[in-house]
């Protein structure tokens, strides 16, 4: 089995046996040119040999290209799963060919995930196949391999293809078309108004407030967790007797480190200020008394005084939905905001407002392409029955 060992920090002298304390103290005084931070993932084979091409690949994207943690984690998971599959089949990574990649892809079609126990989605399978093709193209480009059957060739299969004339895709995409499964775009499935209310009532702090932020602003989970206390306190909503504006513009760092903003209602800001002064302060003070932890800047903390993690939040949302009797995910909260906002803006446009509903929602959602936003337009045309009764109240931040 391939193993992931994260780079650790040098131990303190009092953390090692007495005979090693002098060496540990001397090690702390050395200055090394080591750009990989503590926690950086390193992949080892079953005989504890570094899988050097995978580690170099992750190093380039994490350190040299400074990709986000989510992107690096995604690349790491792809490398881990692929090299583990090769090791179990006794195949050297530099000898893998099209047959091996197809077998790996087809195995995901037939077997459930070892981590979730659920079947792999077509989106996940294609994402991993694209990642493997990207890895081998990088290896050839950086001289880890002289060439590879997975790079720069149409295929190793005799496949009869019709001439599509001017619709023929570029040759660089041929590998992807051969290895990727046909994928249909799934429409967003927003929660109905009763479902949204029931889900919010089921959640405990701070997860209920986090869900409100997604429902009222459309933030992604990563963007939500990047909020800090200062983002709220600089608006100082508790010190004004009369709000200057019913909404507040909150600057956020979007996916891919792109700058952006969301519009938060006055009531949402007031509820967040109340959470800061009550729950968050109590949890942080208790954690500091027990463990003497440093002051945290993260906006959302759990009851232990630690920053809420992405997987924990998504798990809480999923379980709350199951308890309510329907499927719920953090992305559905974001989709609900988009569909409701788009439905409201379209209604205003029909009443004569000079606006472009799709463009506005694209900006508020932080989408790179307007085609992504158009999926929500198709969703509201199919499920318009769920977007009628409390549309305005949700967007106004009503509880």
């Amino acid at each position: 089995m391939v193993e992931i060992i994260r780079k650790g920090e040098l131990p303190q002298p009092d953390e090692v046996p007495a005979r090693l304390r002098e060496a540990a103290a001397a090690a702390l005084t050395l200055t090394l040119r080591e750009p990989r931070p503590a926690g950086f993932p390193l992949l080892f084979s079953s005989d504890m040999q570094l899988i050097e091409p995978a580690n170099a690949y992750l190093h380039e994207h994490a350190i040299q290209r400074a990709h986000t943690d989510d992107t690096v984690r995604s690349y790491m998971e792809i490398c881990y799963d692929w090299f583990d599959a090769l090791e179990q089949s006794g195949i050297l990574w530099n000898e893998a060919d099209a047959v091996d990649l197809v077998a790996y892809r087809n195995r995901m079609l037939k077997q459930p995930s070892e981590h979730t126990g659920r079947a792999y989605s077509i989106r996940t399978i294609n994402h991993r196949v694209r990642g493997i093709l990207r890895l081998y193209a990088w290896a050839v480009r950086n001289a880890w391999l002289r060439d590879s059957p997975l790079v720069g060739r149409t295929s190793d299969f005799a496949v009869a293809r019709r001439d599509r004339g001017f619709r023929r895709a570029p040759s660089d995409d041929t590998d992807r078309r051969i290895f990727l499964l046909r994928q249909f775009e799934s429409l967003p499935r927003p929660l109905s108004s009763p479902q949204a209310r029931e889900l919010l009532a089921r959640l405990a702090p701070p997860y209920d407030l986090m869900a409100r932020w997604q429902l009222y602003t459309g933030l992604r989970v990563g963007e939500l967790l990047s909020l800090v206390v200062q983002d709220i306190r600089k608006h100082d909503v508790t010190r004004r007797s009369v709000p200057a504006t019913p909404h507040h513009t909150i600057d956020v760092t979007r996916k891919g480190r792109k700058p952006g903003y969301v519009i938060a209602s006055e009531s949402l800001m007031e509820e967040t200020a109340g959470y800061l002064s009550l729950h968050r302060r109590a949890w942080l003070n208790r954690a500091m008394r027990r463990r003497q932890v440093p002051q945290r800047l993260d906006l959302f903390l759990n009851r232990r005084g630690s920053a809420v993690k992405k997987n924990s939040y998504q798990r809480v949302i999923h379980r709350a939905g199951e308890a309510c009797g329907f499927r719920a995910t953090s992305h559905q909260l974001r989709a609900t905001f988009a569909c409701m906002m788009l439905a409201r803006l379209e209604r205003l446009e029909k009443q004569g407002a000079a606006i472009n509903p799709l463009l506005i929602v694209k900006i508020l959602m932080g989408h790179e392409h307007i085609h992504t936003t158009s999926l929500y337009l198709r969703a509201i045309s199919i499920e318009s029955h769920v977007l009628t009764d409390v549309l305005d109240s949700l967007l106004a931040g009503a509880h």
Side-chain angles (χ1 to χ4, degrees), residues 46 55 93 99 109 126 155 191 193 207 226 316 344 378-379:
S46 58
N55 293 321
W93 82 280
V99 174
L109 279 171
N126 284 343
S155 83
L191 297 173
S193 299
Y207 305 109
S226 69
V316 168
R344 186 185 190 195
R378 291 158 56 187

Side-chain angles (χ1 to χ4, degrees), residues 216-231:
Y216 302 157
T217 66
L219 282 171
R220 298 179 177 90
V221 177
E223 297 164 352
L224 178 70
L225 295 179
S226 69
L227 293 176
V228 296
V229 174
Q230 186 60 25
D231 293 329

Side-chain angles (χ1 to χ4, degrees), residues 112-357:
S113 168
E114 295 180 358
H115 301 290
T116 65
R118 299 190 299 269
Y120 289 100
S121 67
I122 299 300
R123 182 185 299 274
T124 299
I125 295 174
N126 284 343
H127 173 67
R128 291 193 176 186
V129 170
R130 288 190 188 97
I132 293 168
L133 293 174
R134 190 183 301 116
L135 168 67
Y136 279 84
W138 170 89
V140 172
R141 191 167 60 249
N142 289 272
W144 284 91
L145 294 174
R146 175 178 296 179
D147 54 36
S148 169
L150 300 179
V151 178
R153 293 174 62 178
T154 56
S155 83
D156 286 342
F157 307 102
V159 180
R161 294 185 174 274
R162 293 182 180 178
D163 188 351
R164 297 178 180 265
F166 67 93
R167 297 183 59 186
R168 179 177 297 173
S171 58
D172 292 343
D173 295 334
T174 306
D175 286 344
R176 297 178 185 274
R177 291 203 315 275
I178 292 171
F179 296 118
L180 299 181
L181 299 170
R182 189 177 184 184
Q183 182 176 332
F184 298 92
E185 292 179 331
S186 57
L187 294 181
R189 295 297 302 270
L191 297 173
S192 67
S193 299
Q195 287 176 334
R197 290 199 203 96
E198 188 176 357
L199 182 68
L200 292 176
R202 174 74 60 172
L203 294 170
Y207 305 109
D208 57 343
L209 181 59
M210 296 173 67
R212 292 185 194 277
W213 268 90
Q214 281 200 283
L215 190 61
Y216 302 157
T217 66
L219 282 171
R220 298 179 177 90
V221 177
E223 297 164 352
L224 178 70
L225 295 179
S226 69
L227 293 176
V228 296
V229 174
Q230 186 60 25
D231 293 329
I232 305 304
R233 286 185 172 162
K234 68 181 180 181
H235 290 269
D236 209 7
V237 298
T238 60
R239 297 186 182 181
R240 295 195 309 268
S241 57
V242 179
T245 174
H247 300 92
H248 299 266
T249 301
I250 310 296
D251 294 325
V252 296
T253 302
R254 290 291 191 183
K255 183 179 180 181
R257 296 196 180 94
K258 294 180 294 187
Y261 67 89
V262 293
I263 298 176
S265 66
E266 180 74 13
S267 61
L268 180 61
M269 296 295 288
E270 289 177 351
E271 185 175 355
T272 306
Y275 153 77
L276 286 174
S277 61
L278 295 176
H279 292 94
R280 187 184 184 281
R281 177 180 295 177
W283 296 334
L284 185 58
N285 289 342
R286 181 172 59 187
M288 293 177 68
R289 288 194 303 269
R290 291 181 177 179
R291 296 176 293 168
Q292 297 182 347
V293 297
Q295 183 78 17
R296 293 188 178 275
L297 300 178
D298 306 89
L299 176 58
F300 295 108
L301 303 181
N302 58 29
R303 295 177 181 272
R304 297 186 300 275
S306 302
V308 174
K309 301 299 183 184
K310 180 178 180 179
N311 289 345
S312 299
Y313 171 62
Q314 292 176 324
R315 189 162 49 246
V316 168
I317 296 294
H318 177 72
R319 290 175 178 172
E322 286 185 333
C324 294
F326 53 83
R327 181 176 180 272
T329 65
S330 59
H331 186 73
Q332 277 185 292
L333 297 172
R334 173 173 158 86
T336 302
F337 164 81
C339 289
M340 289 186 172
M341 176 63 76
L342 191 55
R344 186 185 190 195
L345 292 172
E346 285 209 314
R347 190 174 64 189
L348 292 175
E349 184 185 35
K350 291 178 181 178
Q351 293 172 356
I355 58 175
N356 184 331

Side-chain angles (χ1 to χ4, degrees), residues 68-82:
T68 62
D69 292 341
D70 285 345
T71 300
V72 175
R73 184 180 68 250
S74 177
Y75 288 177
M76 182 268 291
E77 291 172 350
I78 292 171
C79 289
Y80 169 81
D81 201 60
W82 172 245

